[in-house]
Amino acid sequence: MINGNLKASYADDERVLDNSYKKAFVYGMMVVLAGFAAFANDYLILVACQMGIMLIAVVGLNVVIGYTGLMSLGHAAFIAVGAYGVTILHNLGAGTVPDAVMPFIAVPVAVAISALIGIVVGLPSLRVKGLYLAVATLAANFIVIFVIEQDLFAPWTGGMTGIETPAPNLAGWVLDDKREMFVLIAVFAFATILTVQNLFRTRVGRAFIAIRDRDYSAEILGISLLRFKLTSFAISAAFCGLAGALLAYFYASILPEQFELALSLQLVAALIVGGMGRTMGPVFGVIVIVMVPEVIKVVFGAVSGGDPSVAQLRAPLQEMAFGFLIIFFLMFEPLGIVHITDRILRALNRWPFARG
């Protein structure tokens, strides 16, 4: 009976795509994305861009929650830092730094600032965990939004009314079209997934996993909890900062309300639904979480016929749907959609010997 994949060398053991089904899936998705960018309509491109931006953020959240075992409800703050950081840097550099060069400066600086704030937010993880750490990170989210909304910083952040964002100019290539932005977002999303996949094949990534499984045992083995917990928060915040930078380039303007608690809960919901601590978990989770509002919108449009009294129920129903998905997967499939696909792929890989 076949019960696994034969690995006859270290190269086989290190290979990420270790069977034909994984290879077919990855290469097939690359072809699908290329065709999607060429032939999809504007509405589908818009939804796909939203998926790509959220995917980068959820992959970052997965580093902290899924791989390191540290609960966080404040990652929307890091997205806000990345979005506002890029916009402010563009405004400060206007007339001094060429537009074609500015994104190559603004994005890395905004990501670095997000990572530094992530280290500060991660400091409570050295003393508390679980619900207490979740509350601490949630407080950080409120603090960042509070600072953005203050009149003192309104000349830079726009305050409550928001701020207009620049169009990215990559060495003379102005991305003023959603389809062009989709290509950029898709490249960054793919690179983010690949980076995290390989991160957890290194000493740092294995230290994160050891802390998740049992932090006291990891410390006895010589793993510095101070160093690696803060590193985990820094890496996670950096990815969310990158998502925020792309969000700023994607939308014509940004508002503080875009980065409030609802966004943090969406990120956590996507991670739970897709599967924590797995590479493909954020991908499946983001697809579900982004498509739920779109499905509700289509259904309500067909049922209400444009009646505003019925259409106003759409927002609370959307929140209820997110809550239902979280409860359902926590009760019946806590490992997420990725675990279901794993069972299917294992059965296909062992066919015709697989049973049940």
Side-chain angles (χ1 to χ4, degrees):
M1 175 179 177
I2 297 177
N3 56 18
N5 296 318
L6 175 63
K7 298 177 180 178
S9 66
Y10 287 114
D12 292 337
D13 189 48
E14 293 174 352
R15 188 173 293 115
V16 175
L17 305 178
D18 56 1
N19 62 57
S20 58
Y21 298 104
K22 290 182 179 179
K23 293 179 181 178
F25 176 78
V26 173
Y27 297 145
M29 286 304 300
M30 293 174 67
V31 174
V32 169
L33 287 175
F36 185 87
F39 302 108
N41 60 39
D42 292 340
Y43 175 73
L44 293 178
I45 290 291
L46 174 66
V47 175
C49 288
Q50 294 173 342
M51 284 185 181
I53 294 171
M54 180 175 282
L55 174 59
I56 296 173
V58 176
V59 169
L61 182 64
N62 196 25
V63 173
V64 164
I65 297 181
Y67 286 106
T68 317
L70 304 173
M71 189 60 196
S72 174
L73 292 178
H75 268 59
F78 305 134
I79 301 177
V81 171
Y84 277 93
V86 162
T87 305
I88 292 171
L89 288 169
H90 268 273
N91 292 336
L92 292 176
T96 304
V97 181
D99 292 340
V101 179
M102 196 62 214
F104 299 100
I105 299 174
V107 173
V109 172
V111 169
I113 294 173
S114 299
L116 290 175
I117 295 179
I119 293 174
V120 175
V121 174
L123 287 174
S125 68
L126 305 176
R127 301 298 299 270
V128 298
K129 61 177 65 175
L131 179 61
Y132 301 100
L133 180 59
V135 172
T137 56
L138 180 60
N141 193 356
F142 286 118
I143 291 172
V144 170
I145 299 302
F146 176 79
V147 171
I148 291 173
E149 293 177 345
Q150 292 306 297
D151 293 337
L152 177 63
F153 303 103
W156 295 280
T157 65
M160 297 285 292
T161 59
I163 187 173
E164 293 184 359
T165 57
N169 185 337
L170 304 180
W173 178 28
V174 180
L175 304 180
D176 54 359
D177 181 75
K178 300 302 183 186
R179 199 172 301 271
E180 295 176 337
M181 278 299 303
F182 170 75
V183 175
L184 180 66
I185 292 171
V187 170
F188 272 110
F190 184 82
T192 300
I193 294 174
L194 184 62
T195 300
V196 172
Q197 169 70 31
N198 285 279
L199 172 65
F200 293 96
R201 295 148 60 84
T202 66
R203 181 177 179 273
V204 174
R206 295 180 187 276
F208 291 165
I209 296 172
I211 292 172
R212 177 195 65 188
D213 293 342
R214 181 69 66 178
D215 54 356
Y216 293 126
S217 300
E219 190 173 22
I220 292 172
L221 292 173
I223 296 174
S224 172
L225 298 186
L226 169 64
R227 174 187 172 188
F228 287 104
K229 282 186 177 182
L230 296 184
T231 300
S232 175
F233 264 96
I235 294 173
S236 178
F239 283 126
C240 287
L242 174 61
L246 293 174
L247 185 145
Y249 285 142
F250 180 69
Y251 291 107
S253 63
I254 51 177
L255 296 167
E257 62 188 29
Q258 293 178 260
F259 309 100
E260 293 180 347
L261 176 60
L263 177 57
S264 293
L265 295 179
Q266 285 185 17
L267 300 180
V268 174
L271 191 57
I272 292 174
V273 171
M276 294 184 288
R278 300 295 302 275
T279 302
M280 292 301 297
V283 177
F284 295 127
V286 165
I287 291 174
V288 173
I289 292 301
V290 173
M291 289 307 299
V292 163
E294 300 302 322
V295 172
I296 292 176
K297 184 190 302 182
V298 172
V299 172
F300 262 70
V303 172
S304 66
D307 186 358
S309 62
V310 178
Q312 67 182 0
L313 299 175
R314 192 177 70 196
L317 182 62
Q318 175 179 317
E319 302 300 328
M320 291 173 59
F322 288 152
F324 172 78
L325 284 171
I326 293 175
I327 294 172
F328 176 83
F329 277 92
L330 286 176
M331 291 181 61
F332 299 105
E333 190 53 85
L335 298 180
I337 296 175
V338 70
H339 186 63
I340 300 174
T341 60
D342 278 348
R343 292 201 298 265
I344 296 173
L345 289 174
R346 282 197 298 267
L348 290 173
N349 195 42
R350 296 168 187 173
W351 186 87
F353 301 99
R355 295 291 185 271

